[in-house]
Amino acid sequence: MSVLGQSENLSPSMARPGRSSGAESWIDRNLHWLFPAPTVAVIFAIIVFPLLYTIWMSLHNWYASSTVAPAFVGLKNYADILGGDGRFWMALWRTVLFTGMAVACQTVLGVGMALVFNREFAGKGFARTLFLLPMMATPAAIALIWGLMMIPTLGVLTHLLSLGNLPGRLW
């Protein structure tokens, strides 16, 4: 029995009016591919394609201001950077050093704050407020800016609507 109390053994013509049984069964079998398909397409367009295009262009000799087509050079660009460019190795070392120091400092400070705020002491609520206030200030500032932009008489959004000869809104 189904949820509605109807038998599952209906003939194909009685299953659901308006849709053929073959199309319905194909859709039902492939819903796990159909639902995520739009998201996958957007992710491909925003992330995967630019990444693959960047890798492809890294295998070419190319300048943004050049009027000639890029020339394929293979791994020569990578060999030049890894073999003879001291700036690359210095930049890589600085990146690793900065990342390591940042992660270590954030971990030590985070664990330290968690240990301090896990204990009972006078002014614990005030201390938590002081440490959490910077995280709350950004969303509050964004809310204020949006509120100012949406003022019906002086707001930027109302002005932009008037430039397009559209009526103002009482946001």
Side-chain angles (χ1 to χ4, degrees), residues 55-93:
I55 293 170
W56 173 252
M57 289 306 294
S58 74
L59 301 173
H60 291 76
N61 187 12
W62 179 75
Y63 297 98
S65 61
S66 177
T67 58
V68 296
F72 184 78
V73 293
L75 298 175
K76 181 183 178 300
N77 291 334
Y78 293 102
D80 290 345
I81 288 175
L82 296 175
D85 193 358
R87 295 179 303 164
F88 169 76
W89 292 108
M90 197 62 177
L92 181 66
W93 169 243

PDB file of all heavy atoms in Angstrom, residues 55-93:
ATOM      1  N   ILE A  55      45.303  26.076 -16.075  1.00  0.00           N
ATOM      2  CA  ILE A  55      46.331  25.049 -16.252  1.00  0.00           C
ATOM      3  C   ILE A  55      46.732  24.948 -17.722  1.00  0.00           C
ATOM      4  O   ILE A  55      47.921  24.886 -18.054  1.00  0.00           O
ATOM      5  CB  ILE A  55      45.841  23.689 -15.706  1.00  0.00           C
ATOM      6  CG1 ILE A  55      45.694  23.768 -14.183  1.00  0.00           C
ATOM      7  CG2 ILE A  55      46.777  22.560 -16.105  1.00  0.00           C
ATOM      8  CD1 ILE A  55      44.984  22.577 -13.577  1.00  0.00           C
ATOM      9  N   TRP A  56      45.749  24.975 -18.607  1.00  0.00           N
ATOM     10  CA  TRP A  56      46.037  24.919 -20.048  1.00  0.00           C
ATOM     11  C   TRP A  56      46.883  26.116 -20.481  1.00  0.00           C
ATOM     12  O   TRP A  56      47.867  25.964 -21.215  1.00  0.00           O
ATOM     13  CB  TRP A  56      44.738  24.849 -20.830  1.00  0.00           C
ATOM     14  CG  TRP A  56      44.932  24.950 -22.313  1.00  0.00           C
ATOM     15  CD1 TRP A  56      44.628  25.995 -23.118  1.00  0.00           C
ATOM     16  CD2 TRP A  56      45.478  23.948 -23.169  1.00  0.00           C
ATOM     17  NE1 TRP A  56      44.945  25.715 -24.414  1.00  0.00           N
ATOM     18  CE2 TRP A  56      45.482  24.458 -24.476  1.00  0.00           C
ATOM     19  CE3 TRP A  56      45.979  22.668 -22.947  1.00  0.00           C
ATOM     20  CZ2 TRP A  56      45.951  23.741 -25.565  1.00  0.00           C
ATOM     21  CZ3 TRP A  56      46.449  21.965 -24.040  1.00  0.00           C
ATOM     22  CH2 TRP A  56      46.432  22.493 -25.315  1.00  0.00           C
ATOM     23  N   MET A  57      46.527  27.299 -20.023  1.00  0.00           N
ATOM     24  CA  MET A  57      47.278  28.495 -20.421  1.00  0.00           C
ATOM     25  C   MET A  57      48.667  28.525 -19.786  1.00  0.00           C
ATOM     26  O   MET A  57      49.580  29.156 -20.321  1.00  0.00           O
ATOM     27  CB  MET A  57      46.500  29.763 -20.069  1.00  0.00           C
ATOM     28  CG  MET A  57      45.284  29.982 -20.942  1.00  0.00           C
ATOM     29  SD  MET A  57      45.616  29.967 -22.705  1.00  0.00           S
ATOM     30  CE  MET A  57      46.614  31.416 -22.889  1.00  0.00           C
ATOM     31  N   SER A  58      48.856  27.851 -18.655  1.00  0.00           N
ATOM     32  CA  SER A  58      50.188  27.819 -18.041  1.00  0.00           C
ATOM     33  C   SER A  58      51.165  27.001 -18.874  1.00  0.00           C
ATOM     34  O   SER A  58      52.374  27.093 -18.677  1.00  0.00           O
ATOM     35  CB  SER A  58      50.106  27.260 -16.622  1.00  0.00           C
ATOM     36  OG  SER A  58      49.899  25.861 -16.641  1.00  0.00           O
ATOM     37  N   LEU A  59      50.653  26.218 -19.783  1.00  0.00           N
ATOM     38  CA  LEU A  59      51.507  25.432 -20.673  1.00  0.00           C
ATOM     39  C   LEU A  59      51.825  26.172 -21.964  1.00  0.00           C
ATOM     40  O   LEU A  59      52.383  25.593 -22.888  1.00  0.00           O
ATOM     41  CB  LEU A  59      50.828  24.099 -20.997  1.00  0.00           C
ATOM     42  CG  LEU A  59      50.493  23.212 -19.786  1.00  0.00           C
ATOM     43  CD1 LEU A  59      49.686  22.007 -20.226  1.00  0.00           C
ATOM     44  CD2 LEU A  59      51.743  22.813 -19.044  1.00  0.00           C
ATOM     45  N   HIS A  60      51.469  27.454 -22.038  1.00  0.00           N
ATOM     46  CA  HIS A  60      51.686  28.268 -23.232  1.00  0.00           C
ATOM     47  C   HIS A  60      52.541  29.476 -22.888  1.00  0.00           C
ATOM     48  O   HIS A  60      52.576  29.933 -21.745  1.00  0.00           O
ATOM     49  CB  HIS A  60      50.349  28.745 -23.807  1.00  0.00           C
ATOM     50  CG  HIS A  60      49.533  27.650 -24.393  1.00  0.00           C
ATOM     51  ND1 HIS A  60      48.835  26.763 -23.630  1.00  0.00           N
ATOM     52  CD2 HIS A  60      49.320  27.292 -25.685  1.00  0.00           C
ATOM     53  CE1 HIS A  60      48.209  25.900 -24.423  1.00  0.00           C
ATOM     54  NE2 HIS A  60      48.495  26.212 -25.673  1.00  0.00           N
ATOM     55  N   ASN A  61      53.211  30.018 -23.887  1.00  0.00           N
ATOM     56  CA  ASN A  61      53.911  31.288 -23.760  1.00  0.00           C
ATOM     57  C   ASN A  61      52.914  32.360 -24.170  1.00  0.00           C
ATOM     58  O   ASN A  61      52.540  32.451 -25.347  1.00  0.00           O
ATOM     59  CB  ASN A  61      55.145  31.297 -24.668  1.00  0.00           C
ATOM     60  CG  ASN A  61      55.998  32.524 -24.433  1.00  0.00           C
ATOM     61  OD1 ASN A  61      55.806  33.242 -23.457  1.00  0.00           O
ATOM     62  ND2 ASN A  61      56.939  32.761 -25.325  1.00  0.00           N
ATOM     63  N   TRP A  62      52.472  33.159 -23.212  1.00  0.00           N
ATOM     64  CA  TRP A  62      51.350  34.047 -23.461  1.00  0.00           C
ATOM     65  C   TRP A  62      51.481  35.304 -22.633  1.00  0.00           C
ATOM     66  O   TRP A  62      51.910  35.280 -21.482  1.00  0.00           O
ATOM     67  CB  TRP A  62      50.060  33.328 -23.092  1.00  0.00           C
ATOM     68  CG  TRP A  62      48.826  34.118 -23.262  1.00  0.00           C
ATOM     69  CD1 TRP A  62      48.207  34.436 -24.426  1.00  0.00           C
ATOM     70  CD2 TRP A  62      48.037  34.696 -22.215  1.00  0.00           C
ATOM     71  NE1 TRP A  62      47.082  35.160 -24.176  1.00  0.00           N
ATOM     72  CE2 TRP A  62      46.953  35.341 -22.823  1.00  0.00           C
ATOM     73  CE3 TRP A  62      48.140  34.735 -20.840  1.00  0.00           C
ATOM     74  CZ2 TRP A  62      45.988  36.011 -22.104  1.00  0.00           C
ATOM     75  CZ3 TRP A  62      47.171  35.390 -20.124  1.00  0.00           C
ATOM     76  CH2 TRP A  62      46.114  36.018 -20.755  1.00  0.00           C
ATOM     77  N   TYR A  63      51.135  36.434 -23.230  1.00  0.00           N
ATOM     78  CA  TYR A  63      51.096  37.714 -22.537  1.00  0.00           C
ATOM     79  C   TYR A  63      49.719  38.321 -22.759  1.00  0.00           C
ATOM     80  O   TYR A  63      49.159  38.255 -23.857  1.00  0.00           O
ATOM     81  CB  TYR A  63      52.176  38.659 -23.064  1.00  0.00           C
ATOM     82  CG  TYR A  63      53.568  38.143 -22.818  1.00  0.00           C
ATOM     83  CD1 TYR A  63      54.264  37.472 -23.813  1.00  0.00           C
ATOM     84  CD2 TYR A  63      54.177  38.310 -21.579  1.00  0.00           C
ATOM     85  CE1 TYR A  63      55.528  36.980 -23.581  1.00  0.00           C
ATOM     86  CE2 TYR A  63      55.441  37.817 -21.339  1.00  0.00           C
ATOM     87  CZ  TYR A  63      56.111  37.153 -22.345  1.00  0.00           C
ATOM     88  OH  TYR A  63      57.356  36.661 -22.099  1.00  0.00           O
ATOM     89  N   ALA A  64      49.168  38.943 -21.733  1.00  0.00           N
ATOM     90  CA  ALA A  64      47.811  39.495 -21.821  1.00  0.00           C
ATOM     91  C   ALA A  64      47.714  40.593 -22.872  1.00  0.00           C
ATOM     92  O   ALA A  64      46.690  40.771 -23.508  1.00  0.00           O
ATOM     93  CB  ALA A  64      47.370  40.023 -20.461  1.00  0.00           C
ATOM     94  N   SER A  65      48.790  41.341 -23.080  1.00  0.00           N
ATOM     95  CA  SER A  65      48.740  42.452 -24.038  1.00  0.00           C
ATOM     96  C   SER A  65      49.156  42.033 -25.438  1.00  0.00           C
ATOM     97  O   SER A  65      49.172  42.857 -26.346  1.00  0.00           O
ATOM     98  CB  SER A  65      49.652  43.573 -23.550  1.00  0.00           C
ATOM     99  OG  SER A  65      50.992  43.108 -23.473  1.00  0.00           O
ATOM    100  N   SER A  66      49.474  40.760 -25.640  1.00  0.00           N
ATOM    101  CA  SER A  66      49.940  40.293 -26.940  1.00  0.00           C
ATOM    102  C   SER A  66      48.780  40.146 -27.907  1.00  0.00           C
ATOM    103  O   SER A  66      47.676  39.775 -27.533  1.00  0.00           O
ATOM    104  CB  SER A  66      50.660  38.955 -26.775  1.00  0.00           C
ATOM    105  OG  SER A  66      51.050  38.460 -28.023  1.00  0.00           O
ATOM    106  N   THR A  67      49.047  40.429 -29.176  1.00  0.00           N
ATOM    107  CA  THR A  67      48.018  40.274 -30.204  1.00  0.00           C
ATOM    108  C   THR A  67      48.154  38.960 -30.947  1.00  0.00           C
ATOM    109  O   THR A  67      47.293  38.622 -31.748  1.00  0.00           O
ATOM    110  CB  THR A  67      48.088  41.435 -31.210  1.00  0.00           C
ATOM    111  OG1 THR A  67      49.400  41.463 -31.783  1.00  0.00           O
ATOM    112  CG2 THR A  67      47.773  42.753 -30.529  1.00  0.00           C
ATOM    113  N   VAL A  68      49.236  38.216 -30.692  1.00  0.00           N
ATOM    114  CA  VAL A  68      49.430  36.922 -31.350  1.00  0.00           C
ATOM    115  C   VAL A  68      48.884  35.813 -30.459  1.00  0.00           C
ATOM    116  O   VAL A  68      48.761  35.967 -29.248  1.00  0.00           O
ATOM    117  CB  VAL A  68      50.926  36.670 -31.668  1.00  0.00           C
ATOM    118  CG1 VAL A  68      51.432  37.684 -32.660  1.00  0.00           C
ATOM    119  CG2 VAL A  68      51.754  36.666 -30.420  1.00  0.00           C
ATOM    120  N   ALA A  69      48.581  34.696 -31.084  1.00  0.00           N
ATOM    121  CA  ALA A  69      48.029  33.555 -30.347  1.00  0.00           C
ATOM    122  C   ALA A  69      49.090  32.969 -29.412  1.00  0.00           C
ATOM    123  O   ALA A  69      50.285  33.034 -29.708  1.00  0.00           O
ATOM    124  CB  ALA A  69      47.553  32.498 -31.332  1.00  0.00           C
ATOM    125  N   PRO A  70      48.679  32.398 -28.299  1.00  0.00           N
ATOM    126  CA  PRO A  70      49.636  31.774 -27.388  1.00  0.00           C
ATOM    127  C   PRO A  70      50.363  30.597 -28.059  1.00  0.00           C
ATOM    128  O   PRO A  70      49.764  29.846 -28.811  1.00  0.00           O
ATOM    129  CB  PRO A  70      48.768  31.262 -26.244  1.00  0.00           C
ATOM    130  CG  PRO A  70      47.485  32.008 -26.349  1.00  0.00           C
ATOM    131  CD  PRO A  70      47.317  32.364 -27.780  1.00  0.00           C
ATOM    132  N   ALA A  71      51.645  30.481 -27.762  1.00  0.00           N
ATOM    133  CA  ALA A  71      52.450  29.395 -28.315  1.00  0.00           C
ATOM    134  C   ALA A  71      52.639  28.320 -27.251  1.00  0.00           C
ATOM    135  O   ALA A  71      53.015  28.614 -26.124  1.00  0.00           O
ATOM    136  CB  ALA A  71      53.799  29.930 -28.774  1.00  0.00           C
ATOM    137  N   PHE A  72      52.393  27.061 -27.621  1.00  0.00           N
ATOM    138  CA  PHE A  72      52.531  25.954 -26.683  1.00  0.00           C
ATOM    139  C   PHE A  72      54.003  25.711 -26.372  1.00  0.00           C
ATOM    140  O   PHE A  72      54.819  25.539 -27.269  1.00  0.00           O
ATOM    141  CB  PHE A  72      51.895  24.691 -27.266  1.00  0.00           C
ATOM    142  CG  PHE A  72      51.909  23.531 -26.328  1.00  0.00           C
ATOM    143  CD1 PHE A  72      50.992  23.455 -25.300  1.00  0.00           C
ATOM    144  CD2 PHE A  72      52.847  22.524 -26.454  1.00  0.00           C
ATOM    145  CE1 PHE A  72      50.990  22.390 -24.419  1.00  0.00           C
ATOM    146  CE2 PHE A  72      52.864  21.449 -25.579  1.00  0.00           C
ATOM    147  CZ  PHE A  72      51.932  21.385 -24.562  1.00  0.00           C
ATOM    148  N   VAL A  73      54.355  25.704 -25.064  1.00  0.00           N
ATOM    149  CA  VAL A  73      55.738  25.449 -24.651  1.00  0.00           C
ATOM    150  C   VAL A  73      55.834  24.271 -23.690  1.00  0.00           C
ATOM    151  O   VAL A  73      56.930  23.947 -23.236  1.00  0.00           O
ATOM    152  CB  VAL A  73      56.367  26.707 -24.008  1.00  0.00           C
ATOM    153  CG1 VAL A  73      56.536  27.813 -25.017  1.00  0.00           C
ATOM    154  CG2 VAL A  73      55.586  27.160 -22.799  1.00  0.00           C
ATOM    155  N   GLY A  74      54.735  23.639 -23.359  1.00  0.00           N
ATOM    156  CA  GLY A  74      54.751  22.487 -22.469  1.00  0.00           C
ATOM    157  C   GLY A  74      55.095  22.878 -21.042  1.00  0.00           C
ATOM    158  O   GLY A  74      54.604  23.885 -20.511  1.00  0.00           O
ATOM    159  N   LEU A  75      55.984  22.115 -20.408  1.00  0.00           N
ATOM    160  CA  LEU A  75      56.345  22.347 -19.013  1.00  0.00           C
ATOM    161  C   LEU A  75      57.512  23.312 -18.849  1.00  0.00           C
ATOM    162  O   LEU A  75      58.056  23.443 -17.755  1.00  0.00           O
ATOM    163  CB  LEU A  75      56.665  21.009 -18.342  1.00  0.00           C
ATOM    164  CG  LEU A  75      55.503  20.020 -18.283  1.00  0.00           C
ATOM    165  CD1 LEU A  75      55.965  18.693 -17.704  1.00  0.00           C
ATOM    166  CD2 LEU A  75      54.349  20.581 -17.478  1.00  0.00           C
ATOM    167  N   LYS A  76      57.891  24.009 -19.927  1.00  0.00           N
ATOM    168  CA  LYS A  76      59.022  24.931 -19.867  1.00  0.00           C
ATOM    169  C   LYS A  76      58.796  26.042 -18.842  1.00  0.00           C
ATOM    170  O   LYS A  76      59.717  26.417 -18.110  1.00  0.00           O
ATOM    171  CB  LYS A  76      59.294  25.539 -21.237  1.00  0.00           C
ATOM    172  CG  LYS A  76      60.470  26.501 -21.267  1.00  0.00           C
ATOM    173  CD  LYS A  76      60.613  27.118 -22.639  1.00  0.00           C
ATOM    174  CE  LYS A  76      61.734  28.121 -22.682  1.00  0.00           C
ATOM    175  NZ  LYS A  76      61.562  29.235 -21.765  1.00  0.00           N
ATOM    176  N   ASN A  77      57.588  26.563 -18.755  1.00  0.00           N
ATOM    177  CA  ASN A  77      57.300  27.608 -17.769  1.00  0.00           C
ATOM    178  C   ASN A  77      57.556  27.114 -16.347  1.00  0.00           C
ATOM    179  O   ASN A  77      58.120  27.827 -15.520  1.00  0.00           O
ATOM    180  CB  ASN A  77      55.855  28.084 -17.901  1.00  0.00           C
ATOM    181  CG  ASN A  77      55.611  28.855 -19.175  1.00  0.00           C
ATOM    182  OD1 ASN A  77      56.531  29.455 -19.734  1.00  0.00           O
ATOM    183  ND2 ASN A  77      54.377  28.835 -19.647  1.00  0.00           N
ATOM    184  N   TYR A  78      57.125  25.882 -16.050  1.00  0.00           N
ATOM    185  CA  TYR A  78      57.344  25.318 -14.726  1.00  0.00           C
ATOM    186  C   TYR A  78      58.823  25.061 -14.471  1.00  0.00           C
ATOM    187  O   TYR A  78      59.322  25.285 -13.364  1.00  0.00           O
ATOM    188  CB  TYR A  78      56.529  24.034 -14.553  1.00  0.00           C
ATOM    189  CG  TYR A  78      55.050  24.297 -14.531  1.00  0.00           C
ATOM    190  CD1 TYR A  78      54.261  24.055 -15.649  1.00  0.00           C
ATOM    191  CD2 TYR A  78      54.436  24.802 -13.397  1.00  0.00           C
ATOM    192  CE1 TYR A  78      52.900  24.295 -15.633  1.00  0.00           C
ATOM    193  CE2 TYR A  78      53.078  25.050 -13.366  1.00  0.00           C
ATOM    194  CZ  TYR A  78      52.321  24.800 -14.487  1.00  0.00           C
ATOM    195  OH  TYR A  78      50.983  25.046 -14.459  1.00  0.00           O
ATOM    196  N   ALA A  79      59.534  24.586 -15.491  1.00  0.00           N
ATOM    197  CA  ALA A  79      60.970  24.346 -15.339  1.00  0.00           C
ATOM    198  C   ALA A  79      61.713  25.652 -15.077  1.00  0.00           C
ATOM    199  O   ALA A  79      62.631  25.703 -14.249  1.00  0.00           O
ATOM    200  CB  ALA A  79      61.522  23.655 -16.590  1.00  0.00           C
ATOM    201  N   ASP A  80      61.313  26.727 -15.753  1.00  0.00           N
ATOM    202  CA  ASP A  80      61.950  28.031 -15.534  1.00  0.00           C
ATOM    203  C   ASP A  80      61.726  28.516 -14.105  1.00  0.00           C
ATOM    204  O   ASP A  80      62.642  29.034 -13.461  1.00  0.00           O
ATOM    205  CB  ASP A  80      61.412  29.070 -16.522  1.00  0.00           C
ATOM    206  CG  ASP A  80      61.862  28.809 -17.942  1.00  0.00           C
ATOM    207  OD1 ASP A  80      62.810  28.004 -18.130  1.00  0.00           O
ATOM    208  OD2 ASP A  80      61.262  29.396 -18.870  1.00  0.00           O
ATOM    209  N   ILE A  81      60.527  28.361 -13.598  1.00  0.00           N
ATOM    210  CA  ILE A  81      60.216  28.841 -12.243  1.00  0.00           C
ATOM    211  C   ILE A  81      60.911  27.985 -11.193  1.00  0.00           C
ATOM    212  O   ILE A  81      61.542  28.500 -10.265  1.00  0.00           O
ATOM    213  CB  ILE A  81      58.692  28.848 -12.014  1.00  0.00           C
ATOM    214  CG1 ILE A  81      58.064  29.971 -12.799  1.00  0.00           C
ATOM    215  CG2 ILE A  81      58.359  29.002 -10.544  1.00  0.00           C
ATOM    216  CD1 ILE A  81      56.558  29.996 -12.742  1.00  0.00           C
ATOM    217  N   LEU A  82      60.806  26.665 -11.322  1.00  0.00           N
ATOM    218  CA  LEU A  82      61.374  25.773 -10.311  1.00  0.00           C
ATOM    219  C   LEU A  82      62.896  25.720 -10.372  1.00  0.00           C
ATOM    220  O   LEU A  82      63.551  25.502  -9.357  1.00  0.00           O
ATOM    221  CB  LEU A  82      60.804  24.367 -10.463  1.00  0.00           C
ATOM    222  CG  LEU A  82      59.301  24.228 -10.214  1.00  0.00           C
ATOM    223  CD1 LEU A  82      58.836  22.820 -10.515  1.00  0.00           C
ATOM    224  CD2 LEU A  82      58.955  24.618  -8.789  1.00  0.00           C
ATOM    225  N   GLY A  83      63.472  25.916 -11.551  1.00  0.00           N
ATOM    226  CA  GLY A  83      64.910  25.763 -11.697  1.00  0.00           C
ATOM    227  C   GLY A  83      65.720  27.010 -11.452  1.00  0.00           C
ATOM    228  O   GLY A  83      66.773  26.961 -10.820  1.00  0.00           O
ATOM    229  N   GLY A  84      65.250  28.152 -11.915  1.00  0.00           N
ATOM    230  CA  GLY A  84      66.139  29.291 -11.863  1.00  0.00           C
ATOM    231  C   GLY A  84      65.590  30.554 -11.250  1.00  0.00           C
ATOM    232  O   GLY A  84      66.316  31.532 -11.137  1.00  0.00           O
ATOM    233  N   ASP A  85      64.357  30.570 -10.840  1.00  0.00           N
ATOM    234  CA  ASP A  85      63.784  31.808 -10.323  1.00  0.00           C
ATOM    235  C   ASP A  85      63.860  31.817  -8.798  1.00  0.00           C
ATOM    236  O   ASP A  85      63.087  31.150  -8.116  1.00  0.00           O
ATOM    237  CB  ASP A  85      62.332  31.953 -10.787  1.00  0.00           C
ATOM    238  CG  ASP A  85      61.774  33.342 -10.553  1.00  0.00           C
ATOM    239  OD1 ASP A  85      62.504  34.176  -9.988  1.00  0.00           O
ATOM    240  OD2 ASP A  85      60.619  33.588 -10.937  1.00  0.00           O
ATOM    241  N   GLY A  86      64.794  32.591  -8.259  1.00  0.00           N
ATOM    242  CA  GLY A  86      64.955  32.685  -6.814  1.00  0.00           C
ATOM    243  C   GLY A  86      63.780  33.361  -6.129  1.00  0.00           C
ATOM    244  O   GLY A  86      63.490  33.100  -4.963  1.00  0.00           O
ATOM    245  N   ARG A  87      63.079  34.233  -6.847  1.00  0.00           N
ATOM    246  CA  ARG A  87      61.913  34.913  -6.264  1.00  0.00           C
ATOM    247  C   ARG A  87      60.809  33.913  -5.923  1.00  0.00           C
ATOM    248  O   ARG A  87      60.104  34.071  -4.936  1.00  0.00           O
ATOM    249  CB  ARG A  87      61.378  35.973  -7.213  1.00  0.00           C
ATOM    250  CG  ARG A  87      62.343  37.118  -7.444  1.00  0.00           C
ATOM    251  CD  ARG A  87      61.785  38.125  -8.402  1.00  0.00           C
ATOM    252  NE  ARG A  87      61.462  37.449  -9.662  1.00  0.00           N
ATOM    253  CZ  ARG A  87      60.687  37.950 -10.610  1.00  0.00           C
ATOM    254  NH1 ARG A  87      60.134  39.116 -10.442  1.00  0.00           N
ATOM    255  NH2 ARG A  87      60.466  37.297 -11.722  1.00  0.00           N
ATOM    256  N   PHE A  88      60.646  32.880  -6.754  1.00  0.00           N
ATOM    257  CA  PHE A  88      59.618  31.881  -6.484  1.00  0.00           C
ATOM    258  C   PHE A  88      59.898  31.166  -5.169  1.00  0.00           C
ATOM    259  O   PHE A  88      59.005  30.994  -4.345  1.00  0.00           O
ATOM    260  CB  PHE A  88      59.543  30.866  -7.626  1.00  0.00           C
ATOM    261  CG  PHE A  88      58.696  29.672  -7.294  1.00  0.00           C
ATOM    262  CD1 PHE A  88      57.317  29.768  -7.298  1.00  0.00           C
ATOM    263  CD2 PHE A  88      59.278  28.457  -6.955  1.00  0.00           C
ATOM    264  CE1 PHE A  88      56.531  28.678  -6.977  1.00  0.00           C
ATOM    265  CE2 PHE A  88      58.502  27.363  -6.627  1.00  0.00           C
ATOM    266  CZ  PHE A  88      57.122  27.468  -6.641  1.00  0.00           C
ATOM    267  N   TRP A  89      61.149  30.713  -4.977  1.00  0.00           N
ATOM    268  CA  TRP A  89      61.483  29.965  -3.767  1.00  0.00           C
ATOM    269  C   TRP A  89      61.376  30.853  -2.530  1.00  0.00           C
ATOM    270  O   TRP A  89      60.946  30.394  -1.474  1.00  0.00           O
ATOM    271  CB  TRP A  89      62.869  29.339  -3.887  1.00  0.00           C
ATOM    272  CG  TRP A  89      62.866  28.264  -4.925  1.00  0.00           C
ATOM    273  CD1 TRP A  89      63.443  28.317  -6.164  1.00  0.00           C
ATOM    274  CD2 TRP A  89      62.217  27.000  -4.839  1.00  0.00           C
ATOM    275  NE1 TRP A  89      63.203  27.163  -6.845  1.00  0.00           N
ATOM    276  CE2 TRP A  89      62.450  26.328  -6.058  1.00  0.00           C
ATOM    277  CE3 TRP A  89      61.470  26.354  -3.863  1.00  0.00           C
ATOM    278  CZ2 TRP A  89      61.959  25.048  -6.306  1.00  0.00           C
ATOM    279  CZ3 TRP A  89      60.978  25.086  -4.120  1.00  0.00           C
ATOM    280  CH2 TRP A  89      61.223  24.446  -5.326  1.00  0.00           C
ATOM    281  N   MET A  90      61.753  32.127  -2.662  1.00  0.00           N
ATOM    282  CA  MET A  90      61.622  33.050  -1.529  1.00  0.00           C
ATOM    283  C   MET A  90      60.135  33.278  -1.192  1.00  0.00           C
ATOM    284  O   MET A  90      59.749  33.286  -0.020  1.00  0.00           O
ATOM    285  CB  MET A  90      62.315  34.373  -1.858  1.00  0.00           C
ATOM    286  CG  MET A  90      62.581  35.202  -0.669  1.00  0.00           C
ATOM    287  SD  MET A  90      63.691  34.305   0.415  1.00  0.00           S
ATOM    288  CE  MET A  90      63.919  35.487   1.667  1.00  0.00           C
ATOM    289  N   ALA A  91      59.309  33.448  -2.217  1.00  0.00           N
ATOM    290  CA  ALA A  91      57.871  33.636  -1.998  1.00  0.00           C
ATOM    291  C   ALA A  91      57.243  32.388  -1.395  1.00  0.00           C
ATOM    292  O   ALA A  91      56.389  32.476  -0.498  1.00  0.00           O
ATOM    293  CB  ALA A  91      57.180  33.996  -3.310  1.00  0.00           C
ATOM    294  N   LEU A  92      57.668  31.217  -1.871  1.00  0.00           N
ATOM    295  CA  LEU A  92      57.146  29.969  -1.314  1.00  0.00           C
ATOM    296  C   LEU A  92      57.530  29.827   0.155  1.00  0.00           C
ATOM    297  O   LEU A  92      56.693  29.466   0.997  1.00  0.00           O
ATOM    298  CB  LEU A  92      57.663  28.773  -2.121  1.00  0.00           C
ATOM    299  CG  LEU A  92      57.169  27.409  -1.656  1.00  0.00           C
ATOM    300  CD1 LEU A  92      55.672  27.280  -1.869  1.00  0.00           C
ATOM    301  CD2 LEU A  92      57.921  26.305  -2.380  1.00  0.00           C
ATOM    302  N   TRP A  93      58.782  30.136   0.487  1.00  0.00           N
ATOM    303  CA  TRP A  93      59.240  30.045   1.877  1.00  0.00           C
ATOM    304  C   TRP A  93      58.456  31.017   2.770  1.00  0.00           C
ATOM    305  O   TRP A  93      58.020  30.651   3.851  1.00  0.00           O
ATOM    306  CB  TRP A  93      60.741  30.319   1.966  1.00  0.00           C
ATOM    307  CG  TRP A  93      61.203  30.505   3.369  1.00  0.00           C
ATOM    308  CD1 TRP A  93      61.735  31.626   3.896  1.00  0.00           C
ATOM    309  CD2 TRP A  93      61.154  29.552   4.436  1.00  0.00           C
ATOM    310  NE1 TRP A  93      62.018  31.449   5.229  1.00  0.00           N
ATOM    311  CE2 TRP A  93      61.673  30.167   5.584  1.00  0.00           C
ATOM    312  CE3 TRP A  93      60.712  28.242   4.526  1.00  0.00           C
ATOM    313  CZ2 TRP A  93      61.764  29.518   6.809  1.00  0.00           C
ATOM    314  CZ3 TRP A  93      60.805  27.595   5.755  1.00  0.00           C
ATOM    315  CH2 TRP A  93      61.325  28.231   6.874  1.00  0.00           C
TER     316      TRP A  93
END
